[in-house]
Amino acid sequence: MKALAARRHHRFAPVVLLLLALLVTGGVYAALAPTPANAETASTEDIETGQKLFQANCATCHGPNAEGTESAPSLVGVGAASVDFQVSTGRMPMQMDGPQALQKPRQFDEEQTAQLAAYVASLGVGPTIPTDEQVDASQGDIANGAALFRTNCAMCHNAVGAGGALSEGKFAPPLWDVSERNIYQAMLTGPQSMPVFNDATVTPEEKRDIIAYLVEQRDGSAGGLSLGSLGPVSEGLWAWIVGMGLLIGAAVWIGAKSS
Amino acid sequence: MTTSTGNTAPTTRTGKAADYLDQRTSVGSAVKEFARKVFPDHWSFLLGEIALYSFVVLILTGIFLTMFFVPSMSLVTYHGPPASMDGQLMSDAFASTLTMSFEVRGGLLMRQIHHWAALIFLAAIVTHMMRVFFTGAFRKPRELNWLVGMLLMILGLAAGFSGYSLPDDVLSGNGLRITDGVVKSIPLIGSYLSYFLFGGEFPGEHIIPRLFTVHILLVPGLILALIALHLFFVVLHKHTQYPGGGRTDKNVVGFPLFPVYVAKAGGFFFVVFGILALMGGTMAINNVWNYGPYDPSPVSAGAQPDWYMLFLEGSLRLMPGGAEFVTWGDFTVPLNVLIPAVVVPGLLFTFLFAYPFVEAAVTKDKREHHVLDRPRNVPVRTGLGVAFLTAFIILALAGSNDLIATHFHMSINAITWAFRVLFFVGPWFAFWVTKRICLGLQRKDRELVLHGHETGRIVRFAHGEYIEVHRPLDEQERWLRVNYPAHAPLEIEPATDARGVRRKGYKKDKQLQRLSRFFYEDRVEPVTPTELAAAHSHGEHDALEGAGHARIEAGAGAGVGGRASSSSRRTGPTSAGPEVPAQ
């Protein structure tokens, strides 16, 4: 102890203390931080809480044991990925009946979502929530993602994921603000009108490539303002509004100039 | 200054150069002639100039682009930016477009200016045509120049279409695929024509080089030649002028070309170039790497052509698919493509081509016109123009139905059905409303000429009566409102001559008369000097008595075109004027 006290004025002492402090903070955070739940690691306690949450919030439509009713499908076997997608984007619980469930501020926090997911996953085997590595855009091949996106996704979501219309008021939403995890889950589980792209059709690596392509699109266009990336219609609209607007304005100004 | 007699040799450097040129080419007389040529002044006469200047910009930027573009469909593996295209198999055309955009200094800017200029070129042409149509500038002697302008517009469409197909991306490839489908829908020759255009089965390997020749040689060459003809006609016919005091069909009131319009037009060129450069520098357009290299399988959501082709896209989107049938001998007649892609645009263009001649026929007007019409004074023409625009806009909106659906949270099916109905109802409604508005404005003009402006000054007489004082119009104001021809429906000779023999050509005359009635049955006559004099003599009283609202609603009865009545309804000296007692 004396040796320690003697060295407290050592010039490296603050550095050592700082390192210790960081270590402790990191350690405590690691121990206490909520871990993203998935079915494998979920405790029975989580499942039970999840069941209670389910019965209070979801059972009206999906049935007391998630077996489905006339107005909503059975959730046995949909997996944790599906629950996480629907609940974390606020689509479920559904606010109102309509052509499709709309995104809204999420109703459950991460822990509750994880508990719900754990409960539904315990009912039957289904797709699990992807790991951070699976959705890491920096590890994806952008060019391959672009090619896959063109052939599999662009017909509904637009060439760069700006969204598009489907029949009867349904639509494929824009993908600018969708989190990487949710994009992966959507491909895996095919929510609402979206088809399922299971791991045999689009492998996990390919899904990551697609995510990498979409994330790259968020940097904007090399050509300037992207005008919503909606293609020739928005370009034409801006040509008339900005271009013809300015030009006719200039013509009126020149015409009014005294000769 | 030297004053040597008879020696007028120029002393300045410019003068010497000009003299040198003049002695060898006699260009001086032409310059003198042009410099003194008078043009009337109005901002709407600059709309055609916008088109002209954007065409110059198109040529300047286009020459730059040809230096780097490779019009070939042979396949290469591309390496370079952007990351999404690296290592992809694509045509030389697409690869060179990427290289031009990302690795040539200023290349992307040039591409974007070129594309924006193309959109503005056609927008300016269309706006210019609206001005010409609604003011009746196509009337004799300018019918031929209207046709030249129409050809220029169609060539503009061809230039735009062949141009945006060149990069060989997915989006423009989809457009070519639709073109292929339309060509194939033509009965009998369709499939042969398609094989001829594409050099085999779509897409083949020939279409890009062929479009390149069309885009950089054939179409611009024709456009240049027709622009020369168009401008030659403008010089030959002299420019039209808006109606106003002192302006007649026999004079041109304005300023000389030099220096006024040389300065204005020269300056305006730089304004146009500046605005186009600003758009090209700040707003992304046709980022082909978003769509990827052409491959016949993918079609992305929001696949539409540039705005001037959007009406064709809309026409196709509106057409129900069930109109296709198979004839004897197993030939398919795809009316679901033929009608929207060939018949509908055919009708629209025929209307534009034929209109000046139809109007001349039903008006039987053989005079030259250099003073423009105010749109309100020709209600049926204005109505037809607005109806045409309504049809065009509805089709263009129908071509954007998916974007309307997502942006306004509506059902695309409902939108499509609404447009199907609107395409037939909208133009009629627009025609009717426009015609009524025009007639209303004409009546307001009559009222104004007869009674003057309301001044808001209320006077009380000794006996207690209140009146509002009206201020008579000044001469300029009155000229504008009374100097127009109000055409009456054609009078034709009877079916039989004096001896009761049936007259040849009566049937044709009768049809023409029917058409003429549609045009001119409902009309408001301009105030005649007699009426004006009457209004004024009574006017001492009237001006002070006020409120003499002429009962000129006689022609305001309902009914588009008034098919029923044989005698034309009109508002004129009989039913209008100051004889109507004040309330």
Side-chain angles (χ1 to χ4, degrees), chain A residues 246-247 250-251 253-255 257, chain B residues 46 49-50 53 57 257 259-276:
Chain A
L246 285 174
L247 286 168
W253 174 65
I254 288 174
K257 271 266 179 229
Chain B
L46 297 178
E49 280 183 33
I50 300 178
Y53 299 149
V57 173
L257 194 63
V260 175
Y261 290 107
V262 171
K264 279 194 174 193
F268 195 42
F269 169 72
F270 291 104
V271 171
V272 173
F273 205 158
I275 288 172
L276 290 174

Side-chain angles (χ1 to χ4, degrees), chain B residues 197-487:
Chain B
L197 286 179
F198 291 91
E201 180 56 90
F202 176 89
E205 289 179 342
H206 298 286
I207 191 67
I208 297 292
R210 286 178 185 180
L211 284 175
F212 186 65
T213 309
V214 168
H215 184 71
I216 71 153
L217 178 74
L218 195 61
V219 172
L222 285 172
I223 291 183
L224 267 178
L226 286 180
I227 285 180
L229 188 61
H230 203 60
L231 294 180
F232 168 74
F233 271 133
V234 172
V235 172
L236 186 75
H237 294 143
K238 299 178 182 58
H239 207 288
T240 50
Q241 51 191 344
Y242 277 97
R247 296 177 183 181
T248 70
D249 282 333
K250 300 212 183 311
N251 67 7
V252 181
V253 179
F255 298 94
L257 194 63
F258 186 84
V260 175
Y261 290 107
V262 171
K264 279 194 174 193
F268 195 42
F269 169 72
F270 291 104
V271 171
V272 173
F273 205 158
I275 288 172
L276 290 174
L278 199 66
M279 292 173 79
T282 54
M283 292 153 70
I285 186 165
N286 198 24
N287 290 163
V288 287
W289 52 92
N290 284 352
Y291 308 123
Y294 184 60
D295 160 2
S297 59
V299 180
S300 66
Q304 276 113 345
D306 276 351
W307 77 263
Y308 42 85
M309 290 288 181
L310 206 52
F311 76 105
L312 282 177
E313 171 86 13
S315 175
L316 280 163
R317 286 188 185 196
L318 286 191
M319 186 71 192
E324 182 179 271
F325 66 90
V326 178
T327 61
W328 38 262
D330 228 17
F331 293 109
T332 309
V333 183
L335 287 182
N336 52 344
V337 180
L338 204 58
I339 292 175
V342 180
V343 176
V344 168
L347 287 175
L348 291 177
F349 284 130
T350 307
F351 171 82
L352 289 180
F353 269 117
Y355 186 81
F357 304 98
V358 173
E359 194 187 290
V362 298
T363 312
K364 280 268 159 58
D365 186 358
K366 299 264 193 294
R367 284 181 306 125
E368 288 205 357
H369 293 277
H370 299 288
V371 174
L372 297 170
D373 282 325
R374 299 173 83 207
R376 68 181 62 172
N377 289 338
V378 199
V380 170
R381 178 206 293 154
T382 309
L384 286 174
V386 174
F388 181 91
L389 282 176
T390 309
F392 181 81
I393 290 169
I394 286 172
L395 288 179
L397 289 175
S400 334
N401 58 1
D402 54 334
L403 293 172
I404 298 176
T406 49
H407 283 74
F408 296 95
H409 302 289
M410 292 194 286
S411 157
I412 193 169
N413 309 52
I415 294 172
T416 304
W417 270 106
F419 282 138
R420 279 175 184 163
V421 174
L422 272 178
F423 178 65
F424 293 100
V425 178
W428 284 111
F429 185 70
F431 171 81
W432 181 75
V433 168
T434 311
K435 192 179 154 194
R436 292 334 296 180
I437 290 175
C438 287
L439 289 170
L441 286 170
Q442 278 183 288
R443 287 196 196 96
K444 189 190 129 233
D445 278 354
R446 263 189 77 86
E447 173 104 0
L448 211 56
V449 170
L450 288 173
H451 303 291
H453 298 288
E454 295 176 351
T455 58
R457 229 182 93 220
I458 310 291
V459 173
R460 201 186 87 166
F461 288 107
H463 56 271
E465 182 191 355
Y466 287 93
I467 58 122
E468 184 187 2
V469 178
H470 283 219
R471 179 168 52 79
L473 273 64
D474 68 30
E475 288 191 333
Q476 288 285 345
E477 289 173 326
R478 193 181 310 126
W479 178 294
L480 189 66
R481 287 169 179 78
V482 299
N483 248 307
Y484 66 90
H487 293 290

Side-chain angles (χ1 to χ4, degrees), chain A residues 150 154 168 221 223 225 232 235 259, chain B residues 41 112 282 284 287 301 304 413:
Chain A
R150 272 201 299 284
E168 304 286 1
S221 166
L225 302 169
E235 288 158 9
S259 303
Chain B
D41 209 1
Q112 297 200 149
T282 54
N287 290 163
Q304 276 113 345
N413 309 52

Side-chain angles (χ1 to χ4, degrees), chain A residues 8-246:
Chain A
R8 69 188 171 168
H9 292 299
H10 192 274
R11 60 196 168 110
F12 284 124
V15 179
V16 172
L17 274 177
L18 194 68
L19 277 175
L20 277 173
L22 283 173
L23 255 173
V24 171
T25 320
V28 170
Y29 179 80
L32 300 183
T35 45
N38 58 59
E40 283 82 33
T41 62
S43 62
T44 14
E45 204 179 323
D46 280 345
I47 295 174
E48 274 165 22
T49 327
Q51 185 172 18
K52 280 181 194 138
L53 281 168
F54 185 90
Q55 280 162 352
N57 296 287
C58 321
T60 319
C61 304
H62 287 289
N65 298 309
E67 72 277 26
T69 64
E70 270 178 26
S71 51
S74 159
L75 298 183
V76 177
V78 300
S82 186
V83 177
D84 188 48
F85 175 85
Q86 300 282 358
V87 177
S88 70
T89 60
R91 285 184 170 83
M92 290 291 154
M94 208 162 142
Q95 194 166 35
M96 59 174 184
D97 230 356
Q100 70 186 37
L102 298 175
Q103 215 174 341
K104 64 175 189 301
R106 52 190 297 175
Q107 196 172 323
F108 298 106
D109 61 21
E110 290 221 358
E111 195 188 356
Q112 291 168 321
T113 310
Q115 287 160 344
L116 272 172
Y119 166 66
V120 172
S122 73
L123 300 174
V125 184
T128 54
I129 295 170
T131 62
D132 285 348
E133 204 203 337
Q134 280 177 305
V135 300
D136 184 3
S138 63
Q139 295 184 40
D141 174 354
I142 294 172
N144 189 39
L148 286 164
F149 193 84
R150 272 201 299 284
T151 38
N152 293 294
C153 322
M155 57 283 290
C156 299
H157 284 286
N158 154 307
V160 288
L166 303 174
S167 61
E168 304 286 1
K170 297 192 279 286
F171 60 94
L175 303 176
W176 308 126
D177 302 325
V178 183
S179 75
E180 288 90 325
R181 187 167 51 102
N182 284 153
I183 295 174
Y184 191 101
Q185 290 165 339
M187 287 188 270
L188 197 59
T189 62
Q192 308 197 34
S193 307
M194 185 163 161
V196 173
F197 296 92
N198 63 30
D199 287 349
T201 339
V202 177
T203 64
E205 288 74 34
E206 289 174 334
K207 289 194 174 81
R208 188 164 63 190
D209 294 346
I210 290 176
I211 292 171
Y213 170 68
L214 286 172
V215 169
E216 199 231 3
Q217 297 311 309
R218 294 172 189 174
D219 296 343
S221 166
L225 302 169
S226 71
L227 312 179
S229 295
L230 294 172
V233 171
S234 73
E235 288 158 9
L237 192 67
W238 290 110
W240 275 96
I241 293 175
V242 175
M244 286 308 279
L246 285 174

